Amino acid sequence: WSTSVVGIVGDPPHWKSALTKSVHVTSSDATGSELMKALTSSKGISSQKKQEAEKIFWGMMEWASHMCIPAVILPTVPVTETTSDGDIIKLKTEVKMSSSDEEDMFDDAPDYESQDHQHAKSTPKKEKSFSINNPSAKEYARLISQLSTSSICSTSRVQLWIRVPLTLHHLQAYQLLLARCDHSPSVGCMLSITSPLNVTELPAITRALHIVMGGGHVKGISWDVSVFLKNKRGYPTLSKSHQYLFQLVYGRLGRTLRTLVEGRVPGASNHDDGGSATRRFYLQYLAHLRSRAPLPSILDSEEAVLETPYLDNLQSPLQPLGDHLEYQTYETFEKDPVKYKRYGEAVELALEDGMKEGKFPFVQRTKSNVSYLTQIATGDDGELGLEQLLVESDNKRDDGVVHELDLYETTIFVVGAGRGPLVRESIAAVARVSSSLLAENKALIAKVVAIEKNPSAVLYLQSLKSTYRSWNGGEKYAEELDLHYPHNCENDFEFLNQFPGLSSVTVVGCDMREATSHPLLKFMIQNEEFRADIVVSELLGSFGDNELSPECLDGVQRCGILKDNCVSIPQNYTAFIAPVSSSRLYSEARCQSSFPVHPEEGPAAPASGMQRALETPYVVRSHAASQTHPERACWTFSHPHSSKSDTRMDIEDNNPSKTNASADAARNINNDRHAHVSFRSDPMLGASAGCGYGAVDTDMDSMDVRVGLDGTTNVTIHGFLGSFHSVLYESPSDKSKAGEMKRKSSDGERFSVISIAPKSFSVGMFSWFPLYFPLKQPLCAPEGSTVNCSVWRRSDDARVWYEWCAEVIGNDGNVWSTSSIHNPGGRSYHVRL
């Protein structure tokens, strides 16, 4: 917990007497209400008092600017509350401070909601109606809009935090104010918890909060002391309902949310105001709730720390073929604890299936001491662990048990190898599979060809080859055995004393799509037995194909370097899209308009402009965002393309007798796609998907939102979030064989998957964030309406780009609102081929 200094707009001291007579809810909600009434009301306020109120209010704001106070808390938006007979509703809150069912400090509070419910049944209620579109609310919005565009906010950077009580009508009133202020980034929300919450209200409040947490610029949350209960020691505690809200809000926004405790502590002095020391027990209790599971794992884990600088920070997607990645970028991606483990499992499954199907050729029968393989199942099966086992095996070479083994040979291509994480996983997978085959007196040896176009990364790969024996078939590195610049390719591929279960790595520096230009790769193309059995790549982008994985892998296949039965890892990947409500992302996208088109040109470079800024998709770790509907699939790419046995292709040496069906299958492939997706109204407004990044909360889907629902909730769509689901490898559907093999996934199936789509999210993986497609103008989707999204993947000889648009369809089938088509012809954004 860190401390911040904020200001609060209150009523003048000489107006206090009037305030005490008109307070409706609690003292914290009513703070500054008389001042705002004088500023915004057109009835019952004299011109003299209105002028005095304006002078006081602007004086407060000028003082906040002068003192560099970062934020000022402003009163709630005026909401007119009337009964069926026209009377003004005056709400009073009775707070229980003790009970015979008290509990220990920091324990869950007694469930008083049932008692409140019984009391409510015995109390007759009048029908209430709330007007959020009243003249005072419009005048308040005009005042906030004027203030947000003044030098107080634009120059001094003072933020305006509007106090919003946790009721449906106040949440809706605030969203209406924010829209009238053009979703200004200077206007934020201070959620105010001032009254008890019934369990039956939770579903409706949950879905309303879900929308506000995305589209409402939530900056902080205020807890009035009146909502706390007391345990038997006299310390504060919260009800079950409020604890649920705490978990919900802090689980979503806990890394950026501010906490305030307000209200007069019972028994405290009348002069005990402001940051009273008597409120420390309330803060201590809230800190205790913050330390309870699952919040620490969400907010304090290593993954959360790594993500923090990227929260709602828009990044332009990579240009993987036009630019070289930096060393730091490689290093960040390699810290992912899930992605490379899943890749290793996929390679292992492919090798196991290849051995079962007899795909790999027999090399020879050999006798060898393989003590390093017998230990790999129980020891560290990573690259460094394998290195240690090789050293120990040397020390025990004379004492170990000699196995007579049948050696089988496989060729693995790692395209876009980077700094070698997939090479390491492939080496480890070969060793693990060989270890499992010892019982059958079999073992694998592998040729691993690492192809990388980045010269700096190639140097790094060569340094690994010269360091690790596991990259050289178990032998120490010898310069004359380096395959990077081969003199006699056929001789260089001989396995000289290669240990069973180990791999020999070849580092090739070239563009994977131009394999025919490299001597070694050209030799492999001309000799089918040397082509790849497995091709491994990590070319996926946030939207699956947005970093040109289809074009790259099709280029590799067209070169003719793959065998006809080659397996690709990944096998397929599907792009998903979902509407998102996020004032923060929308504001950030608009701010990109002032950034230079080419930053390398310096301050004199022309600005991007609003059109380019809002027609560019951005990679972002969505945080202050709300996915409003379950994601839907757009399209799927699969690799490699299946070949026909009767197709032929001339190789570069013009020898017509050589066939390459695989290469011919990748010719004339059109990777353009389009999708028209409809999102029907979701009762929970997508609350289970949270911010659009992370696994869905299945408990929310079971909530009965009809209970406690008062009125409707309109959703503002600020764009769409793109994600992907990829099957790295799935075993063939021959269940009789698959049943005999060891199971890899948690549910007993033999497949390996990675995903950032919320419904199938790979928990713990952070290599990819969603792709945000902004809309130039947000669309309002009323309750029950359908949101349609159209997205196109287009290309020409030099570029690939996306186009998109959206529309809202009412229950009557009419189009209520629509957007223009964004980025037509790739005018604002494209990826270079």
Side-chain angles (χ1 to χ4, degrees):
W1 298 75
S2 58
T3 302
S4 298
V5 177
V6 297
I8 297 181
V9 169
D11 294 302
H14 58 285
W15 289 9
K16 290 282 187 177
S17 58
L19 173 64
T20 55
K21 296 178 181 179
S22 61
V23 61
H24 293 319
V25 186
T26 65
S27 58
S28 58
D29 266 345
T31 301
S33 60
E34 285 295 304
L35 182 63
M36 284 301 110
K37 181 179 178 181
L39 286 170
T40 61
S41 179
S42 58
K43 297 180 180 179
I45 304 297
S46 65
S47 58
Q48 181 180 358
K49 188 170 185 179
K50 197 175 190 69
Q51 291 176 359
E52 181 185 6
E54 290 180 354
K55 182 178 179 180
I56 293 172
F57 176 74
W58 285 100
M60 289 181 182
M61 299 309 301
E62 291 288 352
W63 178 253
S65 173
H66 173 70
M67 297 299 294
C68 298
I69 294 177
V72 175
I73 301 175
L74 299 175
T76 186
V77 180
V79 174
T80 304
E81 307 174 43
T82 59
T83 61
S84 55
D85 54 9
D87 294 335
I88 298 295
I89 299 175
K90 295 185 179 181
L91 301 178
K92 292 185 179 180
T93 302
E94 296 182 2
V95 181
K96 299 179 177 68
M97 298 306 297
S98 60
S99 171
S100 58
D101 296 326
E102 295 160 340
E103 301 183 77
D104 292 339
M105 183 179 183
F106 296 159
D107 282 348
D108 292 341
D111 189 1
Y112 293 119
E113 282 87 348
S114 58
Q115 300 176 30
D116 294 337
H117 187 59
Q118 294 296 329
H119 177 72
K121 283 185 177 180
S122 61
T123 304
K125 291 185 177 181
K126 296 181 180 180
E127 291 187 9
K128 298 180 293 183
S129 62
F130 304 95
S131 174
I132 62 175
N133 192 26
N134 56 74
S136 295
K138 296 177 183 178
E139 185 65 26
Y140 191 30
R142 185 204 63 80
L143 178 65
I144 298 301
S145 182
Q146 177 185 356
L147 186 57
S148 65
T149 55
S150 68
S151 60
I152 294 174
C153 294
S154 61
T155 303
S156 301
R157 304 292 183 185
V158 176
Q159 294 186 352
L160 311 175
W161 295 357
I162 311 298
R163 191 185 297 276
V164 181
L166 194 61
T167 62
L168 295 179
H169 48 278
H170 278 106
L171 291 172
Q172 294 168 356
Y174 168 73
Q175 289 181 290
L176 187 59
L177 176 140
L178 193 61
R180 285 170 171 157
C181 295
D182 199 21
H183 296 87
S184 170
S186 299
V187 180
C189 167
M190 168 65 79
L191 290 174
S192 184
I193 314 296
T194 58
S195 59
L197 183 64
N198 198 296
V199 174
T200 58
E201 299 176 306
L202 281 181
I205 291 294
T206 295
R207 75 175 206 151
L209 266 180
H210 169 66
I211 297 303
V212 171
M213 284 190 287
H217 288 163
V218 178
K219 302 296 184 180
I221 183 167
S222 167
W223 297 88
D224 194 280
V225 297
S226 62
V227 303
F228 288 85
L229 308 173
K230 278 190 176 181
N231 62 18
K232 61 185 179 183
R233 295 187 179 182
Y235 290 105
T237 186
L238 286 175
S239 67
K240 297 282 189 181
S241 299
H242 283 130
Q243 289 183 38
Y244 168 81
L245 286 181
F246 186 96
Q247 295 275 358
L248 174 67
V249 177
Y250 285 82
R252 284 277 297 275
L253 303 174
R255 281 173 278 187
T256 58
L257 201 66
R258 296 300 182 186
T259 301
L260 178 66
V261 174
E262 295 183 285
R264 190 173 303 282
V265 178
S269 168
N270 290 335
H271 302 288
D272 198 1
D273 203 3
S276 172
T278 57
R279 298 194 188 102
R280 72 180 184 273
F281 300 116
Y282 298 89
L283 281 173
Q284 287 175 357
Y285 176 73
L286 294 178
H288 165 70
L289 290 182
R290 166 67 172 75
S291 66
R292 287 171 53 178
L295 291 183
S297 62
I298 297 174
L299 305 177
D300 303 327
S301 64
E302 182 180 359
E303 175 189 350
V305 173
L306 288 173
E307 288 178 353
T308 299
Y310 301 99
L311 298 180
D312 296 326
N313 182 16
L314 302 186
Q315 306 171 68
S316 296
L318 297 175
Q319 295 279 351
L321 301 182
D323 302 326
H324 294 313
L325 294 184
E326 298 176 350
Y327 184 91
Q328 183 178 2
T329 304
Y330 285 122
E331 191 174 39
T332 301
F333 288 156
E334 290 170 15
K335 292 178 180 178
D336 194 309
V338 175
K339 176 176 68 173
Y340 294 111
K341 179 181 178 183
R342 299 284 175 85
Y343 265 98
E345 291 175 353
V347 175
E348 185 177 350
L349 285 171
L351 291 172
E352 290 177 350
D353 288 347
M355 287 296 294
K356 290 285 185 179
E357 297 167 6
K359 290 174 56 176
F360 308 138
F362 171 77
V363 178
Q364 63 181 8
R365 180 176 291 271
T366 183
K367 292 182 179 181
S368 178
N369 174 7
V370 288
S371 58
Y372 55 90
L373 288 181
T374 60
Q375 301 176 51
I376 199 167
T378 56
D380 183 359
D381 57 359
E383 178 194 29
L384 296 179
L386 185 57
E387 286 291 314
Q388 181 63 33
L389 291 175
L390 285 172
V391 173
E392 294 176 359
S393 178
D394 282 346
N395 297 332
K396 301 176 181 179
R397 185 173 290 260
D398 297 332
D399 301 330
V401 178
V402 175
H403 290 257
E404 187 172 354
L405 302 171
D406 291 337
L407 290 185
Y408 293 83
E409 171 186 297
T410 183
T411 302
I412 301 174
F413 268 53
V414 179
V415 294
R419 299 199 316 165
L422 291 184
V423 176
R424 290 191 287 269
E425 290 297 335
S426 299
I427 292 172
V430 171
R432 290 196 299 269
V433 172
S434 296
S435 176
S436 66
L437 291 172
L438 287 180
E440 304 175 28
N441 294 322
K442 296 178 181 179
L444 273 173
I445 52 178
K447 295 190 295 279
V448 179
V449 181
I451 303 177
E452 175 57 48
K453 71 178 179 63
N454 186 343
S456 299
V458 170
L459 287 175
Y460 189 88
L461 290 170
Q462 290 174 331
S463 70
L464 294 177
K465 178 174 173 60
S466 64
T467 303
Y468 294 118
R469 292 174 55 186
S470 58
W471 284 51
N472 295 283
E475 295 288 351
K476 294 183 179 179
Y477 175 75
E479 187 68 30
E480 61 270 16
L481 293 180
D482 186 8
L483 301 182
H484 185 54
Y485 297 106
H487 303 287
N488 187 325
C489 297
E490 190 168 1
N491 290 338
D492 285 333
F493 266 127
E494 294 179 2
F495 286 90
L496 303 177
N497 299 320
Q498 182 165 338
F499 291 16
L502 299 185
S503 306
S504 180
V505 179
T506 301
V507 180
V508 176
C510 76
D511 190 321
M512 69 182 75
R513 300 170 298 169
E514 301 171 357
T516 54
S517 64
H518 192 278
L520 174 61
L521 301 182
K522 181 179 178 181
F523 168 80
M524 300 180 73
I525 294 171
Q526 295 170 342
N527 296 270
E528 184 177 359
E529 65 272 19
F530 293 111
R531 296 175 193 165
D533 296 300
I534 301 172
V535 59
V536 188
S537 64
E538 53 174 331
L539 306 171
L540 299 175
S542 299
F543 200 41
D545 53 84
N546 62 296
E547 293 186 9
L548 307 186
S549 178
E551 285 71 21
C552 292
L553 294 180
D554 289 352
V556 172
Q557 187 173 356
R558 270 194 299 270
C559 288
I561 207 166
L562 310 182
K563 290 181 180 177
D564 292 348
N565 60 357
C566 179
V567 171
S568 173
I569 298 174
Q571 287 182 330
N572 62 69
Y573 39 93
T574 302
F576 286 83
I577 201 164
V580 64
S581 177
S582 176
S583 298
R584 175 66 184 274
L585 295 185
Y586 179 66
S587 299
E588 289 290 322
R590 294 179 63 181
C591 290
Q592 302 294 316
S593 63
S594 59
F595 291 176
V597 179
H598 304 292
E600 64 275 7
E601 296 180 6
S608 297
M610 193 61 71
Q611 175 179 281
R612 180 185 293 268
L614 293 176
E615 289 189 343
T616 298
Y618 301 95
V619 175
V620 63
R621 168 54 173 96
S622 51
H623 177 62
S626 297
Q627 182 174 312
T628 59
H629 300 73
E631 67 273 13
R632 298 287 302 276
C634 295
W635 50 69
T636 298
F637 286 94
S638 300
H639 301 283
H641 299 287
S642 59
S643 58
K644 297 180 181 179
S645 59
D646 59 345
T647 57
R648 289 175 175 266
M649 170 182 168
D650 293 338
I651 308 302
E652 210 170 289
D653 63 354
N654 297 320
N655 185 347
S657 65
K658 297 187 177 182
T659 62
N660 199 322
S662 175
D664 196 50
R667 282 181 161 183
N668 303 319
I669 296 297
N670 184 359
N671 287 320
D672 288 358
R673 299 286 191 274
H674 67 273
H676 305 288
V677 184
S678 292
F679 300 92
R680 301 192 181 278
S681 179
D682 179 32
M684 283 301 294
L685 304 181
S688 60
C691 64
Y693 179 78
V696 297
D697 184 351
T698 55
D699 292 339
M700 288 190 181
D701 291 331
S702 61
M703 286 186 171
D704 187 359
V705 72
R706 295 169 298 178
V707 179
L709 182 61
D710 183 11
T712 60
T713 300
N714 296 336
V715 177
T716 302
I717 306 298
H718 295 95
F720 296 86
L721 289 181
S723 57
F724 76 89
H725 173 98
S726 174
V727 177
L728 296 179
Y729 182 82
E730 183 174 8
S731 291
S733 57
D734 188 346
K735 299 299 183 181
S736 61
K737 291 184 178 180
E740 299 172 0
M741 304 177 188
K742 69 175 183 179
R743 296 174 174 180
K744 302 301 296 182
S745 67
S746 58
D747 57 0
E749 299 294 335
R750 283 178 51 82
F751 59 81
S752 180
V753 171
I754 55 175
S755 174
I756 62 168
K759 285 185 179 179
S760 57
F761 188 82
S762 299
V763 177
M765 189 176 69
F766 57 81
S767 288
W768 293 276
F769 296 144
L771 191 66
Y772 171 54
F773 295 89
L775 291 176
K776 294 179 187 176
Q777 292 294 332
L779 299 179
C780 179
E783 185 91 21
S785 61
T786 298
V787 178
N788 290 341
C789 173
S790 298
V791 58
W792 295 265
R793 187 185 198 266
R794 306 284 294 165
S795 64
D796 57 24
D797 292 338
R799 309 173 303 153
V800 174
W801 69 91
Y802 296 98
E803 302 173 11
W804 65 95
C805 67
E807 60 188 11
V808 178
I809 307 296
N811 292 328
D812 54 3
N814 294 324
V815 178
W816 288 1
S817 58
T818 186
S819 74
S820 62
I821 295 180
H822 292 59
N823 196 36
R827 65 183 179 185
S828 299
Y829 163 81
H830 63 265
V831 185
R832 302 190 299 274
L833 285 171

